[in-house]
Amino acid sequence: MPRVMAWVIAALAVAGAGGCSRFEFDADPPPISTIDETVPVEVPEPTAAAVSFYRTGIPIWLGLKLWGVAFPAFVVFSGLGAKLRDRARRVGRAWFPSLLVFLVFYLGLEFVVELPIDYALGFHRAHLYGLSTQSLGDWLVKLLIGLGVRVATTASVAWLPLVLVRRRPRWGWLILGLLALPIGFFAAMITPIWIDPLFNRFGPMKDPALEGRILALAARAGIEADRVFEVDKSRETTAVNAYVTGFAGTKRIVLWDTLLAKLDENEVLVVMAHEMGHYALGHVATGVALGALGATIVFGLIFAAARRIVARASGRIGFDRLDDIAAIPVYALLLKVVLLVGDPIGFAVSRRIEHEADRYALELTHANRSAGLAFRKLASENLAMPRPDSWSILLRSTHPPIGDRIDFANEYHPWRANGR
């Protein structure tokens, strides 16, 4: 929820910060690489598999967008939400237990209805294109764990709008927006230690020498860390990834074992420098803060629209109060609608942030060629289109196209004499 309308404000903030550099340029590059980093990298042509994955993904993306709106709309306007509430009340009796039972009913129904879609896209399609090595049993277990996490996290916050709209009908949306800030920071802190381990096996790096180089790079970036976590991801996927997660005392530097297997050390270091850039440039804290500000606007819009729906369709939907637990699918529906408009704005900001992290990585490492080679491998392993259609970038992309990132790696080196 917090990511929606804050993107407008975030876009101005990021645009104003664009081009800022944390490092003074050195005459000599830092000693992380033994290759000639001045040699440019050619942007690859997309493979046949990448083209197919991209083209078949377009109708899938559109269908998922429509389905995201259609399911809660059906639950609301068919009167099913009210029926689920009545059954939840008979089971739970008191208000909060009834709310929990309703969420189990609603999210459980959504899970069952979407299971064929999840299987087709998350399991079959991933195996069809060689992106998954996961067994069906493991995939299903992870899906069930995800459902449990979703029920628990939704239950921890879903009561707030219902209580606030009842007790503070005029200002509940504003109070909820203010609460989004501490909730967002709390979520950022606990995710690495409570949520992520439910889905991944975190262990120490098997290569202590490379771990030492990563920690040295982190120290130069001003990130305090004493270990790097390696995730046993090859048992599930062939894709590659790395990230810095957490906040304050829970931050972690994380690498998938697939990344370590498919990139050389210089490429791993420049990828990690990019991820460190998100942390060093304050993207996590800034994103949570701006997201909370945007969430306030979103809550205002959702509460106003929900009042209209309840006032005009109460006879059809089976309730006439915004604090009714049957109104939860209404909020879900309106959130999906807002995201249809807000996501392209958010994606534009995300692409700008990712570009700044790329800039940071180059300034930290001076490893231009290693960056370009890493991007080539990322495109190959993740079946990315180096240069997708402009509309696809606008509506679907959270990162700049791989081709643009390689171009930037080839061209950005102001620390060299005459920028060459």
Side-chain angles (χ1 to χ4, degrees):
M1 225 179 256
R3 81 178 195 264
V4 189
M5 296 304 289
W7 296 125
V8 177
I9 301 167
L12 297 175
V14 173
C20 294
S21 173
R22 185 183 185 280
F23 296 99
E24 295 181 0
F25 302 136
D26 300 320
D28 299 315
I32 77 156
S33 176
T34 57
I35 68 172
D36 185 355
E37 295 288 354
T38 66
V39 179
V41 175
E42 184 179 357
V43 177
E45 291 296 322
T47 64
V51 172
S52 175
F53 189 74
Y54 170 74
R55 289 178 178 172
T56 57
I58 293 172
I60 291 173
W61 165 80
L62 180 59
L64 290 176
K65 286 289 185 181
L66 295 175
W67 172 254
V69 174
F71 178 77
F74 171 77
V75 171
V76 171
F77 294 107
S78 69
L80 180 58
K83 294 178 181 177
L84 293 177
R85 173 208 57 201
D86 293 341
R87 293 187 180 183
R89 284 176 175 172
R90 287 196 292 270
V91 175
R93 298 181 181 275
W95 182 80
F96 190 72
S98 297
L99 172 63
L100 296 180
V101 174
F102 177 85
L103 290 175
V104 171
F105 286 167
Y106 176 68
L107 296 177
L109 175 64
E110 185 179 43
F111 176 86
V112 171
V113 172
E114 292 184 352
L115 187 58
I117 301 174
D118 290 331
Y119 172 80
L121 301 182
F123 186 82
H124 177 72
R125 188 168 189 260
H127 280 79
L128 181 66
Y129 283 94
L131 293 173
S132 178
T133 58
Q134 192 174 24
S135 69
L136 180 60
D138 186 60
W139 173 81
L140 186 57
V141 167
K142 294 289 178 63
L143 205 64
L144 290 170
I145 292 174
L147 173 63
V149 170
R150 189 178 178 194
V151 171
T153 55
T154 303
S156 67
V157 296
W159 59 275
L160 275 171
L162 302 181
V163 170
L164 289 172
V165 78
R166 180 173 69 246
R167 297 187 178 181
R168 296 291 186 272
R170 284 190 65 185
W171 302 107
W173 61 273
L174 179 59
I175 298 171
L176 196 59
L178 295 174
L179 290 174
L181 183 61
I183 290 174
F185 277 111
F186 179 71
M189 289 185 67
I190 68 169
T191 296
I193 56 176
W194 288 1
I195 306 299
D196 290 346
L198 297 175
F199 299 93
N200 298 302
R201 297 178 181 177
F202 293 87
M205 279 195 68
K206 299 180 179 66
D207 185 343
L210 179 56
E211 180 181 34
R213 297 184 70 189
I214 294 172
L215 292 175
L217 192 67
R220 186 165 185 265
I223 299 174
E224 296 181 5
D226 56 6
R227 64 181 299 191
V228 179
F229 291 86
E230 183 175 330
V231 181
D232 179 17
K233 208 68 177 178
S234 56
R235 57 196 294 270
E236 297 180 15
T237 182
T238 61
V240 298
N241 196 18
Y243 55 92
V244 175
T245 186
F247 187 74
T250 66
K251 62 179 176 291
R252 287 183 170 187
I253 300 174
V254 180
L255 290 164
W256 287 7
D257 61 346
T258 51
L259 182 90
L260 296 171
K262 296 174 181 179
L263 273 63
D264 70 23
E265 286 197 8
N266 296 331
E267 294 158 4
V268 169
L269 288 171
V270 78
V271 168
M272 291 311 303
H274 168 98
E275 302 302 334
M276 293 172 189
H278 286 308
Y279 189 87
L281 295 174
H283 291 162
V284 175
T286 302
V288 171
L290 291 173
L293 181 59
T296 306
I297 302 172
V298 171
F299 294 142
L301 293 174
I302 289 178
F303 276 32
R307 285 192 182 92
R308 289 177 175 268
I309 291 175
V310 170
R312 295 181 179 182
S314 59
R316 180 178 180 182
I317 62 180
F319 58 93
D320 58 4
R321 295 175 59 90
L322 286 178
D323 60 343
D324 195 307
I325 60 176
I328 290 176
V330 175
Y331 298 130
L333 167 62
L334 293 172
L335 176 61
K336 293 290 187 178
V337 172
V338 172
L339 289 178
L340 291 176
V341 178
D343 270 350
I345 302 172
F347 294 162
V349 176
S350 177
R351 290 193 298 273
R352 178 67 185 219
I353 287 174
E354 295 297 335
H355 175 70
E356 289 306 314
D358 283 349
R359 183 194 303 273
Y360 182 95
L362 294 176
E363 292 173 2
L364 180 64
T365 65
H366 296 191
N368 296 71
R369 179 168 176 78
S370 293
L373 292 173
F375 291 139
R376 281 182 63 109
K377 292 181 181 179
L378 289 173
S380 175
E381 298 298 334
N382 297 340
L383 295 185
M385 284 286 285
R387 299 197 189 278
D389 297 318
S390 298
W391 71 265
S392 182
I393 299 172
L394 176 67
L395 298 179
R396 302 171 61 197
S397 299
T398 58
H399 288 63
I402 288 292
D404 291 358
R405 300 176 80 177
I406 293 175
D407 289 341
F408 183 70
N410 289 336
E411 297 165 2
Y412 185 73
H413 33 68
W415 50 86
R416 301 179 195 164
N418 299 320
R420 298 179 180 176

